[in-house]
Amino acid sequence: MLELDKETFEAEVLQAPGKVVVDFYGDGCVPCAALMPHVHEFAEKYGGDDLKFCALNTTKARRLAIGQKILGLPVIAVYENGEMIDSCVKDDATPENVEAMIKKYA
Amino acid sequence: MSKTYDVIILGAGPAGLAAGLYAGRSRLDTLIIEKGQDGGQIAITSEIENYPGQLLEGETGPSLVARMTEQAKKFGAERISDVIKSLDLSGDVKKVMGNKGEYLAKAVILATGAFPRPIGCKNEAKFVGKGISFCATCDAAFFEDFEVFVVGGGDSAVEEAMYLSKFARKVTIIHRREELRAAKSIQEKAFANPKLHFMWDSVVEEADGDELLSRMVIKNTKTGELTTVEADEEDGMFGLFGFIGLLPNTKLYEGAVDMENGYIRTDDNMHTNLPGVFAVGDLRVKSLRQVVTAAADGAIAAMQAEHYISNLK
């Protein structure tokens, strides 16, 4: 998994070819920390040239996250051509739902 | 054929972890199954002040839970992450069906707790994660220097409002009554906090905005008068956090064990109406739902489960 920051998000996600999965998390977000190992597992299983996996700590990139219309964590989102095309947010971001979403694009 | 545990505990909140600790110490072959993070409700609680023996300064829900988890592990309780789909609790061997497999045990302790009660306003679901939240520790940082509203008047609402005031420019508590229900010590701190404001006799009727929450309609519970709250023009958004109590996580057990308004009925020893099936913590009918009462329930159920299992042999 590629760890993003507010400098690299644009190039690695919005300008990147193919589809990109982004795990938006934050400091002190316990549900985010519980979900993350599952996302790592999915990255191993489904990641590839056409489906890249990244993570962004929103605590250090707050304005960027708000710009992506994210105000609640955790969010696992899929991007293509600079746009968020799908996402699992908060209670819907269960390992099961996230995997089902990722499978659609793998 | 999968192995048969002595006891399976569903849920790793304070009730489940305490049950795990006591069951482990009794040398019961113990499995704890949790779908999300350990700690349940307490894992998303910013500050805890009333658990006996906790750290006096700087204890958070997650820090307390981390020690509970360690303690349960130390005495041998096994832990699996899985989502339970169905149960068969009627026979001598209880069956628990999860996404990853089937689990068997002689006794089952139901400890799946509760989840936050929705605010109950129009458009609520649309704005969860877009301004509406039930987890201050998850989402407070987004609202640094913005305005935030908190719905509720109990301990959790006021504690979380104070936590949010470390980030937000202004925090307004919206409460349906004209006085808080929170403990006096918490109220004193709240009234001394210059960032905290209060909107009494009020409920949120409707949430609105383009993509992010930026407008809401408030109803006065005494006069019925409606007022609209708009986000500051420069902000373009605000936060709305709900802490108005909990609903029990008991859908899975409907029709299987005796319930009252969705809460599971037990006797003083945590027995449900089914032999070998116990219920502990926030999901059972009781007068006080706190970490300390959840932990006590867990301890009692584990000892009762041991007693039940030894009588089976």
Side-chain angles (χ1 to χ4, degrees):
Chain A
M1 294 250 304
L2 178 66
E3 189 67 35
L4 304 170
D5 60 34
K6 57 188 173 198
E7 268 78 44
T8 57
F9 184 83
E10 174 79 26
E12 296 290 354
V13 178
L14 301 181
Q15 305 294 338
K19 297 183 186 75
V20 187
V21 177
V22 185
D23 179 346
F24 291 93
Y25 68 99
D27 295 346
C29 173
V30 176
C32 300
L35 182 63
M36 193 167 276
H38 297 281
V39 181
H40 280 261
E41 193 188 301
F42 303 147
E44 292 280 314
K45 210 162 151 188
Y46 303 106
D49 289 344
D50 293 328
L51 192 66
K52 181 166 74 174
F53 280 73
C54 307
L56 178 76
N57 184 347
T58 60
T59 312
K60 296 184 181 102
R62 189 170 64 96
R63 285 206 183 86
L64 190 161
I66 295 171
Q68 295 299 309
K69 309 296 178 197
I70 288 170
L71 278 184
L73 296 175
V75 173
I76 310 295
V78 182
Y79 283 82
E80 189 178 27
N81 299 323
E83 296 227 8
M84 194 191 289
I85 56 168
D86 210 344
S87 64
C88 289
V89 178
K90 286 196 161 279
D91 288 352
D92 292 329
T94 59
E96 199 180 22
N97 289 351
V98 171
E99 183 167 20
M101 176 182 74
I102 289 168
K103 270 183 172 169
K104 287 196 276 176
Y105 305 103
Chain B
M1 193 68 192
S2 41
K3 96 180 234 193
T4 304
Y5 289 90
D6 288 325
V7 56
I8 287 177
I9 300 162
L10 301 183
L17 291 171
L21 165 65
Y22 274 76
R25 288 193 77 218
S26 301
R27 297 283 177 263
L28 295 179
D29 197 355
T30 306
L31 174 68
I32 304 175
I33 305 176
E34 166 62 50
K35 69 170 163 54
Q37 72 271 0
D38 278 16
Q41 288 301 311
I42 200 74
I44 58 166
T45 302
S46 59
E47 197 181 343
I48 176 151
E49 278 191 328
N50 55 6
Y51 188 70
Q54 68 163 88
L55 302 179
L56 291 184
E57 294 299 330
E59 186 85 286
T60 64
S63 67
L64 181 65
V65 166
R67 296 202 303 279
M68 288 185 178
T69 297
E70 274 309 301
Q71 212 176 350
K73 258 192 210 155
K74 181 181 166 185
F75 292 102
E78 200 182 317
R79 189 193 174 291
I80 278 183
S81 178
D82 201 353
V83 179
I84 301 311
K85 291 287 164 199
S86 63
L87 304 114
D88 180 0
L89 300 173
S90 53
D92 277 348
V93 176
K94 320 291 179 196
K95 291 187 192 124
V96 178
M97 275 68 77
N99 278 334
K100 294 181 185 166
E102 188 182 85
Y103 312 93
L104 306 175
K106 294 169 190 161
V108 172
I109 299 176
L110 310 175
T112 44
F115 60 93
R117 182 186 290 271
I119 293 167
C121 64
K122 210 175 141 195
N123 295 336
E124 179 163 1
K126 192 178 148 195
F127 287 100
V128 170
K130 305 279 177 191
I132 293 181
S133 176
F134 301 92
C135 179
T137 53
C138 301
D139 303 331
F142 288 118
F143 299 98
E144 202 173 323
D145 298 325
F146 285 91
E147 206 174 325
V148 160
F149 296 83
V150 170
V151 184
D155 289 356
S156 301
V158 181
E159 289 273 22
E160 299 303 312
M162 283 193 285
Y163 173 77
L164 285 160
S165 76
K166 293 176 193 169
F167 300 84
R169 177 173 80 223
K170 179 183 174 190
V171 178
T172 305
I173 292 182
I174 302 171
H175 186 39
R176 61 186 308 126
R177 284 179 248 282
E178 59 185 351
E179 59 181 359
L180 298 174
R181 198 164 36 81
K184 286 286 178 288
S185 65
I186 298 173
Q187 290 197 30
E188 282 164 19
K189 279 197 278 180
F191 290 128
N193 184 330
K195 277 189 176 177
L196 277 199
H197 298 75
F198 299 88
M199 209 183 264
W200 304 112
D201 300 317
S202 301
V203 292
V204 181
E205 280 280 293
E206 188 176 341
D208 207 355
D210 314 317
E211 284 199 78
L212 300 181
L213 179 68
S214 63
R215 204 161 49 246
M216 63 180 169
V217 178
I218 306 285
K219 183 180 165 185
N220 185 298
T221 54
K222 284 199 171 144
T223 64
E225 189 191 346
L226 300 175
T227 48
T228 303
V229 173
E230 301 252 9
D232 183 279
E233 215 172 297
E234 265 182 41
D235 292 350
M237 60 172 228
F238 58 78
L240 179 62
F241 287 74
F243 302 103
I244 51 170
L246 303 167
L247 293 171
N249 233 335
T250 53
K251 268 222 145 32
L252 265 178
Y253 323 127
E254 269 171 12
V257 294
D258 278 354
M259 291 195 205
E260 191 178 316
N261 299 322
Y263 292 92
I264 299 173
R265 276 211 199 103
T266 68
D267 65 10
D268 289 348
N269 285 324
M270 311 304 145
H271 294 257
T272 67
N273 59 309
L274 293 180
V277 180
F278 305 85
V280 296
D282 284 355
L283 55 58
R284 77 179 187 95
V285 177
K286 64 199 289 194
S287 63
L288 184 64
R289 294 190 177 86
Q290 292 280 300
V291 182
V292 64
T293 60
D297 286 2
I300 293 167
M303 300 320 289
Q304 291 295 319
E306 186 197 17
H307 190 65
Y308 168 81
I309 290 163
S310 64
N311 282 339
L312 283 178
K313 284 168 190 167

